[in-house]
Amino acid sequence: MPTTDLTDRTDHTARTIVTVSERLVLTRPQEDDVEVVFAIHGDPETNRYNPNGPQREIVQAQEMLDGFVADWVRDGVGYCAVATREDPGTVIGFAGLYLHTLDGERVFNLYYRFRPSAWGLGFAAEAARAAMAEALPRYPGVPVIALIHADNLPSRRLAGRLGLVADPDGRTDEEDRLIHRMA
């Protein structure tokens, strides 16, 4: 995986690039991303389909970020901070793949969550494709899944465009999310 440094125009810190797509730069999350994690995951609009609702306290964002960072250390893959190539210092969302076990099977969970200002521009699909292209060759044979609530039609449509289909038997996880799997 490339580990090029990119100077963040906002605070002039170096970020580790995971991959670059036509319009986006995906970087490893870093310890000082807690405010942007909270801004995105604490926004009621980005959590419309989340039964737990938005994060209410920054400590929740710190715990989430700690997990993002630990995944990279442990597995060499994980969720990425996403910015545009035009403004690489401004994180507009998070997307990527997380290795975990579902029903006894090792799988990649596909994740994407963006600021509402980035919605409708194809960024989530572009970031997801870039993350998959980078991670899947490192773990051949590990399937990609997405866990999506049935009423989250925008996310389900995106999963479909990415080649994931809902379990034909309507299987769900412990949080009652439909299991979508790479076809």
Side-chain angles (χ1 to χ4, degrees), residues 29-80:
Q30 52 191 37
E31 293 300 329
D32 61 355
D33 284 338
V34 69
E35 292 291 336
V36 73
V37 169
F38 187 64
I40 293 170
H41 295 87
D43 182 335
E45 191 63 16
T46 67
N47 285 275
R48 182 184 319 167
Y49 301 102
N50 182 350
N52 300 317
Q55 293 175 346
R56 288 180 168 67
E57 298 178 13
I58 197 142
V59 68
Q60 294 170 295
Q62 186 64 60
E63 289 170 1
M64 177 178 268
L65 177 60
D66 290 346
F68 289 178
V69 171
D71 295 339
W72 278 99
V73 171
R74 183 186 62 246
D75 301 320
V77 296
Y79 299 153
C80 299

Side-chain angles (χ1 to χ4, degrees), residues 51 147-151 170-179:
L147 304 171
I148 308 171
H149 284 280
D151 61 344
R171 261 184 352 135
T172 60
D173 74 345
E174 67 280 350
E175 293 184 33
D176 203 33
R177 297 173 294 187
L178 289 171
I179 299 170

Side-chain angles (χ1 to χ4, degrees), residues 4 13 32 48 54 96 112 121 135 151 161:
T4 310
T13 60
D32 61 355
R48 182 184 319 167
Y112 35 84
L121 301 171
D151 61 344
R161 286 193 307 274

Side-chain angles (χ1 to χ4, degrees), residues 4-183:
T4 310
D5 284 337
L6 173 73
T7 301
D8 183 322
R9 290 189 220 165
T10 303
D11 64 10
H12 306 291
T13 60
R15 299 190 70 96
T16 301
I17 294 177
V18 173
T19 191
V20 177
S21 66
E22 181 181 336
R23 301 177 297 161
L24 302 174
V25 178
L26 281 68
T27 60
R28 288 188 183 195
Q30 52 191 37
E31 293 300 329
D32 61 355
D33 284 338
V34 69
E35 292 291 336
V36 73
V37 169
F38 187 64
I40 293 170
H41 295 87
D43 182 335
E45 191 63 16
T46 67
N47 285 275
R48 182 184 319 167
Y49 301 102
N50 182 350
N52 300 317
Q55 293 175 346
R56 288 180 168 67
E57 298 178 13
I58 197 142
V59 68
Q60 294 170 295
Q62 186 64 60
E63 289 170 1
M64 177 178 268
L65 177 60
D66 290 346
F68 289 178
V69 171
D71 295 339
W72 278 99
V73 171
R74 183 186 62 246
D75 301 320
V77 296
Y79 299 153
C80 299
V82 181
T84 64
R85 289 177 76 166
E86 291 177 351
D87 187 6
T90 301
V91 175
I92 60 170
F94 292 88
L97 298 168
Y98 159 68
L99 273 171
H100 71 106
T101 302
L102 178 69
D103 297 334
E105 178 185 26
R106 191 170 192 192
V107 297
F108 273 121
N109 184 70
L110 177 63
Y111 179 82
Y112 35 84
R113 182 151 309 173
F114 285 77
R115 296 177 186 269
S117 61
W119 292 357
L121 301 171
F123 290 151
E126 185 174 334
R129 283 186 187 102
M132 286 190 290
E134 187 63 34
L136 294 179
R138 301 188 72 217
Y139 288 88
V142 175
V144 176
I145 59 118
L147 304 171
I148 308 171
H149 284 280
D151 61 344
N152 188 346
L153 297 179
S155 187
R156 292 185 66 199
R157 283 191 296 268
L158 174 55
R161 286 193 307 274
L162 294 169
L164 283 77
V165 295
D167 185 276
D169 297 325
R171 261 184 352 135
T172 60
D173 74 345
E174 67 280 350
E175 293 184 33
D176 203 33
R177 297 173 294 187
L178 289 171
I179 299 170
H180 293 69
R181 190 179 190 96
M182 187 68 73

